[in-house]
Each structure stands twice: as structure tokens, then as C-alpha cells.
Amino acid sequence: MKKNGTNFRILGLGLALLAGGALAQGRPAGLDQGKREFESNCASCHGTSGKGGGVLVPFLTRSPPDLTLLARNNGGVLPMNRLYDVIDGAEVPVHGSREMPVWGRDYRIKDAEYFMESPYNAEAHVRARILALLEYINRLQAR
């Protein structure tokens, strides 16, 4: 699925960013799913600003990267596919060290119970959560 899935993912990421940007204009602050995902899953290490300094930093062996500089450090383009893979964790080996949690796996475990008796696609929901988070990280980028 890597070759065919990559094109689909790029299209999906682009559409999600466009839709998210359009929705962000008139969306009440309480309905910002990407920000909610960031605050509950990322801010403890990356800080609420995304620049680092989260409450768990003293307990980490490596400092988390400044998420606001991801695009700047990548020629002005946010590396969406790489970020998606890191968050999803599908390309991460089961064994070996990895300091950052694999949120995709956590989402799948939590969502499995919720979607067990639902007509909705749990995998699509996991993708939507990750895409919302990426859209929020895109908004954090230094301009």
C-alpha cells in the first residue's frame, strides 16, 4: 500500500488542510479537533506552543523538536508524509527504542471499542484524528 497509498494520502492531506483552513475561519474555538489532539497528546513534551518545554521534558533522554520550525527546516514545506508516518507509527518496527509514543496505535486501540458496534470505519476515524493534528501543527509553523 505504500506506493498507491502515498498518492491517496497526499491528496487526502491536501484536502484536509484546505478544508481545515477554511473551517478554521468560522469555527468556534471549542471545536478545534486538531488543537484538542495536540493538547492531549503532544503538549506534555512539545509544550503548548509546540516549541518544546512541556512538563515531561525533564524525564526525556532527548529534547523534543521545536514543531514550529518543521516547515522552515524542510525548505518551507511541512513534511506531511513523514509526520503522518511518525504519528501513525505504521512504519515503526515493533521492537526497538522509540521515545515518542505511537499515537496511531493508541487511537486504534481506543477507537476499536467505540466503533465495535458502529457503522463507521474505525481506520478512517484514526486517519481523521491524525490529519486534524497535522492541520493544527501546520498552523503552528513559524512564518
Side-chain angles (χ1 to χ4, degrees):
M1 181 176 158
K2 187 65 175 167
K3 294 267 187 225
N4 294 337
T6 299
N7 291 337
F8 178 75
R9 189 181 311 159
I10 290 170
L11 176 62
L13 291 172
L15 291 174
L17 286 174
L18 288 173
L23 290 174
Q25 301 300 318
R27 175 180 21 191
L31 298 177
D32 191 337
Q33 184 65 31
K35 184 175 182 179
R36 188 179 324 167
E37 293 291 343
F38 186 86
E39 289 174 347
S40 62
N41 297 318
C42 309
S44 58
C45 295
H46 294 281
T48 56
S49 68
K51 294 182 178 197
V55 296
L56 294 180
V57 169
F59 305 104
L60 302 175
T61 56
R62 288 180 25 197
S63 295
D66 181 341
L67 298 180
T68 67
L69 299 176
L70 294 173
R72 182 179 289 170
N73 293 338
N74 192 51
V77 178
L78 189 66
M80 297 296 281
N81 282 339
R82 184 167 49 99
L83 290 174
Y84 188 99
D85 287 344
V86 167
I87 294 166
D88 179 56
E91 300 295 321
V92 176
V94 175
H95 298 289
S97 65
R98 177 185 161 116
E99 193 150 2
M100 187 179 139
V102 177
W103 294 115
R105 183 176 52 223
D106 285 1
Y107 291 164
R108 283 178 188 85
I109 291 168
K110 291 174 186 170
D111 290 351
E113 293 175 11
Y114 179 77
F115 285 102
M116 192 164 295
E117 306 217 7
S118 168
Y120 300 109
N121 182 314
E123 191 60 32
H125 189 256
V126 170
R127 280 193 305 272
R129 289 179 73 176
I130 294 172
L131 291 173
L133 175 56
L134 291 175
E135 189 275 327
Y136 181 74
I137 292 171
N138 185 55
R139 285 187 272 148
L140 293 178
Q141 296 309 291
R143 304 286 177 216

